[in-house]
Structure formats: structure tokens, C-alpha cells
Amino acid sequence: MFNRDTVIHLIGDPCLNLYRALGKGYWYFKFDDGGLSGTKAVLVKALNDRPLDTWVREGKVFAAEMRAKEKR
């Protein structure tokens, strides 16, 4: 079993965070570097409904997509 802090630590991007949408039944990544922000919903009720490596991979991909937007 793992928690959101483990996911964020393994992703290693200081601008990325992971939250549970209270009362909504899903989680979301939030990227915010002060100038650019965005979110990506992950439609699972419990964090451990998905493997840790899936969370880490999707978080890294989302952060990379957001950083690519910065360069445009």
C-alpha cells in the first residue's frame, strides 16, 4: 500500500501535486509553476485501485506535457 506523498516523491517534479477530489470520487494531478497551471483527472475512487508505477508514469507524462506548453 502507498500514499499520495510516495507518488509525488517518485515523480520528482516540484510543480506537480496529487489531490483527491472531495465528494467527487476521483483523483487529479495539478501542475502549477506560477505561470502555467493545469489539471488531469484520474477516475479512480481509491489511490490504491491502480498500481504505483501507473501513477508515477502518468504523472511524469502529464508534467512533461505541461512543461512542453511552457516552451511555446
Side-chain angles (χ1 to χ4, degrees):
M1 218 161 171
F2 56 90
N3 61 31
R4 63 167 292 285
D5 292 335
T6 301
V7 175
I8 294 304
H9 173 74
L10 292 173
I11 292 169
D13 190 306
C15 297
L16 191 70
N17 218 323
L18 179 62
Y19 299 100
R20 184 169 157 245
L22 297 176
K24 305 283 187 191
Y26 68 90
W27 289 78
Y28 65 96
F29 285 107
K30 181 175 182 182
F31 182 92
D32 187 353
D33 73 353
L36 178 67
S37 65
T39 60
K40 177 185 178 178
V42 182
L43 303 177
V44 295
K45 211 176 246 191
L47 186 67
N48 285 271
D49 285 350
R50 306 177 83 190
L52 178 58
D53 64 328
T54 301
W55 282 107
V56 172
R57 182 176 54 252
E58 287 192 21
K60 285 183 177 185
V61 167
F62 176 59
E65 290 170 352
M66 294 300 295
R67 292 201 179 280
K69 288 182 182 182
E70 284 180 320
K71 296 179 182 184
R72 290 184 201 167

